[in-house]
Amino acid sequence: MKAKFYLLLFIIGFLIFTDDATAATITVDQQTIAIEGNQHQKKPLVSQPIELQGPSSSRDFYYSLTEDVQLDNQQVTFHIQYSELLIAPSSFTVKVDDVAIKTVPLTTDLRKQTVTVHLPEEALLKGSHKITASFYGILKEGICVAPGNVGNWLRIDILSSISAFTEEGEAWSLNSYPSAFMGYEGYTTTLILPKEASTATLSSGYQLSAYLSEHGQTDVHIQREDAVQKVTGPVVLLGAKNEFSTALFKNIVANIETAENAMTLMMHELQNTNTNQKVPFLVITSTKAEAIAERLLSLTEPRLLEQLAGHTLTIDDLPEVESLLETAIPFKQFGFEDQTLSSQGSITPHYYVSLPQLEANKEAVMRLILKKSATMPSSKEEDDRKLELIVYINNVPHAVDLRKLEQTATDMYEASIPIQANVLNKKSITDVQFEVTGFQLEEPCETTNERYWLYIDSDSSLSLPKDASEPSFTLRDFPNAFHDNVLMVIPDHENLNDTEMSGLYKALMINGKMAQITLVRDKDVTEAALQQQAVIFIGAMDQLTWLSKNAKNIPYTAEQLIQQGFLPEVMAKHAYITKNFWQTKQPLLWLHAFDATSIDNDFYAHLKETDTQVAAAIETKEGQFVVAVDNKVSEQDTEETNGFEISFILIAEFVGLIIVIAVILYIILRKRKKNQLKEQ
């Protein structure tokens, strides 16, 4: 129902013109653009090593094909290592769509193997397919360990790979996006922008580049139209019609019909003359650059881009998409897929989610949607095992008693876990991991305990409390505080480093979602815009008019930098964060580099990993990342000392007042006594 609702919104919001004919082929001479991408190269199968634990365990890998693929020696290769304690009949088996293709024995005389499986024709048909890697481990005689023991293991290494599929007839369509435009080693996506691109087109290009780079194996290569000489993979051409100046690209966009104030997508294929080298070629254009910027969400928002179809599509209006930080964050946003834990796989990989810094003494709530095996005991009397789901949040355990789950109207269960803000605030990137206990029998040699399992749905979510207090910003808030509504200010006349800017846009993504960024030149900035948005200034202070007006509030002189713990002579890159000078509920970030150096992805990665409450950080010319001296402790000590001094003065004044009152009372009483004696 939810999917149909979004589809209806999408159709209502779009003005659609589709062409179901095959994608047009654009041929170019090799001297104009040489196509060197090799689609038959291999793509990485895993992004990090995967460990399977005995006596038996398995892991599934999935891939999807939008069209049938011609059989051409496609294969999947596993590089494996395993424990030296294994003996026959230990084995490693590869299945394709649940059909066993190959089994190899695991013996101690190797300990490392490369297992290659040729994919059958059935595995190349249109649709989704599954590859299953299964491990069966038997230990040396006399050695019995419980399932999950570290001595009984097999590791699938990062060099494991799968062939990059080429669809028969190169049947690319808009439905092939974004999968057909994901780069990997030796096959990199090229994004072509106009030579004299407007800020709106640049911002659109940086967003699209960041999105495809984040979800692909390699970063997108951005090139201006006059510098393109060769491509090594898919190509995207982006810009308004009137922005292109080279004959080839000007002619391509001129032949595309566009509606006023709408964005047109057209899928082609780019081929060299007299060769069979061809790659998918997506053109994104409009009569106005702003029209592309306003509708680019259709290419970066999963709920919208998955509805793309045909070869030509003109997009007028978009349905509204809620802000990430105003709603509960579903697990799938930080890469969590449906997981089933059992005695043979009792712990999940680590998942990482970027969260804003929460107000102290507040609570977030993790809502878990679960399904469990019917044989799992529902009361303590049935079984004395401690059946728990343990959720590790930044290594802090939070336990759920699986015998006390609340059942929903269906056969699913729910559990809510309160999480203190201080636990989430420990790290700028929160680490989440799940483990079940009590599923394994105590007998080390017993392997028949398959009856317990727990399914965790990816629609489980993490709800954050709203911060009502006035925020104070530090580098701990990067990039979360710069996500929903950001004004990015760049110098007027300086040529931008496209790779550097794309890296910044990528760094501002949160859990795979793009930030809402407005890119403007310094001369186009208005005070009204500064009052409504979070602000990022990029460049030297003398190139940024509005920043210069507040120079007295920014530590940038040599003396001020030394006070922050920096040596000005060794600085190559500098980041400083504070409250927005034009309204205090939003942050301001200043990024600049010295001596013509560029701010690369490593610097942004260090900023994202900064957990300490500091306002500034630098990277030295030698590449060392250094954060400012944390003055909060000393300030707090000063405040406490001042408070103590004030309290001491108040106490002294109060004691003095009591003494004065006592003296006055003594004098009055003494006079009264004298008067009484005289009267007698």
Side-chain angles (χ1 to χ4, degrees):
M1 289 296 292
K2 188 181 293 185
K4 291 180 180 178
F5 173 72
Y6 284 124
L7 178 61
L8 180 62
L9 278 179
F10 197 64
I11 293 174
I12 293 174
F14 275 28
L15 176 64
I16 302 178
F17 302 89
T18 58
D19 176 11
D20 291 329
T22 58
T25 300
I26 298 175
T27 57
V28 292
D29 188 86
Q30 286 180 306
Q31 280 69 43
T32 304
I33 300 177
I35 300 175
E36 298 182 357
N38 182 2
Q39 293 172 291
H40 295 283
Q41 291 188 357
K42 297 179 180 180
K43 298 171 62 174
L45 189 65
V46 296
S47 58
Q48 59 184 8
I50 294 175
E51 187 168 291
L52 304 179
Q53 297 180 346
S56 63
S57 185
S58 64
R59 179 62 62 92
D60 294 330
F61 305 89
Y62 297 90
Y63 63 93
S64 296
L65 299 175
T66 57
E67 298 291 341
D68 293 349
V69 174
Q70 185 176 6
L71 186 64
D72 188 17
N73 198 37
Q74 291 90 348
Q75 59 191 29
V76 58
T77 301
F78 289 93
H79 291 264
I80 59 175
Q81 298 186 49
Y82 44 87
S83 171
E84 62 184 1
L85 300 178
L86 297 180
I87 61 170
S90 298
S91 62
F92 178 74
T93 300
V94 178
K95 297 180 180 179
V96 179
D97 293 332
D98 296 322
V99 177
I101 304 295
K102 190 172 187 177
T103 297
V104 297
L106 305 177
T107 57
T108 55
D109 57 339
L110 290 176
R111 292 197 58 208
K112 287 186 179 181
Q113 289 195 48
T114 299
V115 181
T116 299
V117 173
H118 293 278
L119 298 177
E121 189 172 1
E122 295 79 7
L124 302 176
L125 300 178
K126 178 181 177 181
S128 297
H129 298 276
K130 179 176 69 172
I131 298 172
T132 304
S134 299
F135 165 56
Y136 178 65
I138 301 296
L139 297 183
K140 290 182 178 180
E141 186 178 356
I143 301 178
C144 278
V145 294
N149 182 275
V150 292
N152 196 356
W153 58 268
L154 177 142
R155 184 168 63 248
I156 300 174
D157 287 335
I158 198 168
L159 293 176
S160 302
S161 61
I162 186 171
S163 294
F165 300 103
T166 303
E167 296 176 359
E168 177 154 12
E170 315 298 358
W172 291 299
S173 67
L174 293 175
N175 184 250
S176 305
Y177 178 89
S179 58
F181 292 85
M182 300 297 184
Y184 47 89
E185 186 177 358
Y187 192 67
T188 302
T189 300
T190 300
L191 174 61
I192 302 173
L193 299 176
K195 179 182 178 181
E196 300 295 335
S198 64
T199 53
T201 292
L202 289 175
S203 186
S204 298
Y206 298 151
Q207 286 194 57
L208 190 63
S209 171
Y211 176 80
L212 293 174
S213 297
E214 175 72 11
H215 293 87
Q217 297 291 338
T218 59
D219 286 345
V220 169
H221 184 206
I222 299 180
Q223 285 195 300
R224 299 301 175 100
E225 58 177 321
D226 59 328
V228 182
Q229 295 181 341
K230 70 175 182 179
V231 295
T232 58
V235 178
V236 179
L237 182 69
L238 186 150
K241 282 189 169 185
N242 59 0
E243 290 185 298
F244 291 99
S245 56
T246 57
L248 172 63
F249 301 117
K250 192 173 183 179
N251 183 56
I252 290 173
V253 296
N255 291 326
I256 298 176
E257 293 185 10
T258 54
E260 189 71 21
N261 293 324
M263 177 179 75
T264 298
L265 309 175
M266 182 170 282
M267 182 67 75
H268 298 279
E269 59 184 18
L270 189 67
Q271 181 177 8
N272 277 157
T273 54
N274 302 321
T275 73
N276 61 356
Q277 287 281 66
K278 58 179 69 175
V279 291
F281 182 30
L282 175 62
V283 180
I284 306 167
T285 191
S286 176
T287 56
K288 295 180 180 179
E290 291 75 16
I292 299 175
E294 291 166 1
R295 294 160 181 81
L296 196 75
L297 192 67
S298 60
L299 293 170
T300 61
E301 171 58 43
R303 285 172 299 173
L304 301 183
L305 63 86
E306 66 185 10
Q307 300 172 53
L308 300 177
H311 293 90
T312 303
L313 180 65
T314 298
I315 301 173
D316 186 1
D317 297 320
L318 294 178
E320 292 186 5
V321 177
E322 72 273 11
S323 167
L324 169 67
L325 297 179
E326 291 180 355
T327 59
I329 304 173
F331 281 9
K332 62 181 66 174
Q333 278 193 7
F334 51 87
F336 184 97
E337 297 179 352
D338 299 338
Q339 289 270 2
T340 300
L341 299 177
S342 67
S343 59
Q344 303 305 314
S346 60
I347 192 166
T348 70
H350 291 266
Y351 295 94
Y352 299 94
V353 54
S354 185
L355 300 176
Q357 186 170 197
L358 304 181
E359 186 179 353
N361 302 320
K362 288 290 186 70
E363 280 187 351
V365 177
M366 180 175 285
R367 175 177 171 265
L368 297 171
I369 302 175
L370 308 167
K371 189 172 183 178
K372 64 177 184 176
S373 59
T375 57
M376 191 181 297
S378 57
S379 65
K380 190 173 182 180
E381 289 71 23
E382 293 182 38
D383 198 314
D384 60 356
R385 297 192 198 183
K386 295 180 179 179
L387 298 171
E388 286 187 324
L389 171 65
I390 302 176
V391 185
Y392 296 95
I393 311 291
N394 289 332
N395 297 321
V396 178
H398 297 72
V400 176
D401 190 337
L402 296 180
R403 294 168 299 190
K404 298 180 180 179
L405 294 176
E406 296 181 7
Q407 190 166 7
T408 63
T410 63
D411 62 345
M412 304 295 285
Y413 293 82
E414 284 191 0
S416 294
I417 304 175
I419 305 169
Q420 289 293 326
N422 67 317
V423 174
L424 295 174
N425 289 341
K426 283 178 178 290
K427 297 181 180 180
S428 57
I429 300 178
T430 297
D431 180 0
V432 181
Q433 189 179 34
F434 301 85
E435 181 182 17
V436 290
T437 63
F439 282 17
Q440 300 168 354
L441 296 177
E442 295 298 327
E443 299 298 329
C445 293
E446 179 63 66
T447 62
T448 59
N449 54 326
E450 290 287 344
R451 54 182 179 159
Y452 294 163
W453 54 264
L454 180 73
Y455 166 84
I456 307 174
D457 196 282
S458 61
D459 283 333
S460 301
S461 60
L462 178 63
S463 298
L464 305 179
K466 292 187 176 180
D467 195 344
S469 63
E470 183 174 309
S472 59
F473 298 102
T474 68
L475 291 179
R476 165 64 177 78
D477 298 293
F478 180 88
N480 302 88
F482 300 92
H483 191 265
D484 282 347
N485 191 13
V486 185
L487 184 71
M488 189 177 291
V489 184
I490 56 177
D492 286 334
H493 306 295
E494 188 167 326
N495 291 328
L496 295 179
N497 183 318
D498 292 331
T499 301
E500 177 184 335
M501 292 298 296
S502 176
L504 175 55
Y505 274 66
K506 183 179 175 182
L508 292 172
M509 294 178 68
I510 296 180
N511 310 322
K513 295 181 71 70
M514 295 301 308
Q516 300 173 17
I517 301 170
T518 303
L519 185 69
V520 295
R521 295 281 181 181
D522 184 70
K523 60 183 174 61
D524 298 321
V525 177
T526 64
E527 188 167 358
L530 294 169
Q531 291 172 346
Q532 297 170 4
Q533 298 169 283
V535 184
I536 299 177
F537 285 99
I538 302 172
M541 183 170 290
D542 57 4
Q543 297 176 310
L544 302 166
T545 306
W546 289 92
L547 189 66
S548 299
K549 292 179 180 179
N550 289 274
K552 62 182 180 181
N553 299 318
I554 301 174
Y556 73 98
T557 65
E559 182 180 351
Q560 291 169 327
L561 292 171
I562 289 173
Q563 290 176 352
Q564 289 186 302
F566 303 137
L567 294 176
E569 295 79 8
V570 304
M571 291 171 57
K573 302 155 193 174
H574 181 224
Y576 176 76
I577 189 171
T578 186
K579 289 183 179 180
N580 188 329
F581 299 127
W582 297 274
Q583 56 106 347
T584 58
K585 290 190 176 180
Q586 294 282 4
L588 179 149
L589 177 67
W590 177 33
L591 296 167
H592 64 119
F594 303 90
D595 301 328
T597 58
S598 61
I599 302 179
D600 55 18
N601 292 339
D602 287 343
F603 186 70
Y604 297 132
H606 286 308
L607 290 181
K608 295 179 78 167
E609 294 167 0
T610 301
D611 298 324
T612 52
Q613 306 286 338
V614 294
I618 67 165
E619 185 176 300
T620 68
K621 295 175 182 178
E622 299 298 324
Q624 183 181 6
F625 184 80
V626 183
V627 298
V629 175
D630 188 357
N631 293 320
K632 285 200 165 189
V633 175
S634 58
E635 289 174 3
Q636 184 177 349
D637 291 343
T638 301
E639 290 175 2
E640 290 177 356
T641 302
N642 291 339
F644 177 76
E645 291 175 354
I646 292 170
S647 299
F648 183 79
I649 293 171
L650 289 173
I651 292 171
E653 289 178 348
F654 180 75
V655 172
L657 181 60
I658 295 297
I659 293 172
V660 171
I661 293 173
V663 171
I664 294 173
L665 288 174
Y666 174 76
I667 294 172
I668 292 173
L669 291 173
R670 188 170 181 179
K671 285 184 177 180
R672 182 179 296 175
K673 190 173 181 180
K674 285 182 178 180
N675 292 335
Q676 289 176 351
L677 291 173
K678 287 180 180 179
E679 291 175 358
Q680 291 176 356

